[in-house]
Amino acid sequence: PAASVCLVDLNFQDGSVADYLDLTPSFKLEELANAPSRLDAQLLNVMLTRHASGLSVLATPRLPAKYLEISEGMIGTVLGLLSQSFDYLVIDLPKNWYPWTDNVIWGSNHVYVVTGFTVPALKHARYVVDAIKAKAANEAAVSVIVNKHREKLLFGSGLMKKDAETLLRDLLAGFVPDVPDVVQEAINRGLPMSEISPGSKVEKALERILLKNKA
């Protein structure tokens, strides 16, 4: 049987996971923030959204003009209940660091930092990785995915693939090529890229990254 996967969007202010999959988020975080004791496995299951691909998604409606004080206990309870129901949790963390971020990182088997292919972005990714490695469990793997990578033009100048490899060294998980047509089509239609363009460069690159992690 296929492993069960839940995609968890913890970016409560401006998360976009549900939008990318053309789903209506149903995790009523605002209601639970003041009454966390209400949360149990049955209620959480009701608040999951299911994608046609079989993927389960936990996402909250965007709260761009509100700040909610989310306790570490609330996040711990949510992830604990989900881990009892799914084989894998894929968690999208916000860029900002919250009091509960440490615990999420500490409980993760692998942490990927996704960065753009520019010098400032690569340097920032290295700083973030160093901070995460200080928080992660000893056996956890922490690495960087370079997104939207474009091959250098012949006789051109500027940033090259080997520059990222030199800067990140063994922290580099891999490169994901810039294939905007396929990615944008998948996002606009709320479909996996495998349904838009089976065997695309992006899909193959991500497969190599995941297989490298298992090796």
Side-chain angles (χ1 to χ4, degrees), residues 81-188:
L81 290 172
L82 290 174
S83 66
Q84 295 174 22
S85 302
F86 295 92
D87 296 314
Y88 297 98
L89 299 184
V90 179
I91 302 171
D92 184 24
L93 281 170
K95 291 181 179 179
N96 294 332
W97 211 277
Y98 292 92
W100 43 263
T101 305
D102 285 7
N103 287 341
V104 176
I105 290 174
W106 187 83
S108 299
N109 300 110
H110 200 126
V111 181
Y112 289 109
V113 175
V114 182
T115 183
F117 190 54
T118 66
V119 172
L122 292 172
K123 287 183 177 179
H124 180 67
R126 182 58 193 258
Y127 300 146
V128 173
V129 164
D130 289 342
I132 290 175
K133 285 177 73 70
K135 306 285 186 179
N138 291 334
E139 66 273 15
V142 183
S143 54
V144 179
I145 296 175
V146 179
N147 194 26
K148 297 183 180 180
H149 169 256
R150 286 191 177 187
E151 293 293 342
K152 174 177 171 289
L153 296 176
L154 188 64
F155 305 123
S157 61
L159 188 64
M160 300 176 63
K161 196 172 185 179
K162 66 179 182 181
D163 296 321
E165 293 170 343
T166 299
L167 178 64
L168 298 172
R169 298 185 183 277
D170 59 337
L171 297 174
L172 179 62
F175 296 86
V176 176
D178 187 17
V179 188
D181 291 345
V182 173
V183 175
Q184 289 175 11
E185 181 73 8
I187 291 173
N188 289 334

Side-chain angles (χ1 to χ4, degrees), residues 54-91:
L55 180 69
S56 295
V57 178
L58 185 74
T60 186
R62 290 188 181 187
L63 303 168
K66 285 188 176 181
Y67 174 75
L68 289 180
E69 189 69 38
I70 309 300
S71 69
E72 296 178 51
M74 165 68 81
I75 299 299
T77 298
V78 169
L79 297 181
L81 290 172
L82 290 174
S83 66
Q84 295 174 22
S85 302
F86 295 92
D87 296 314
Y88 297 98
L89 299 184
V90 179
I91 302 171

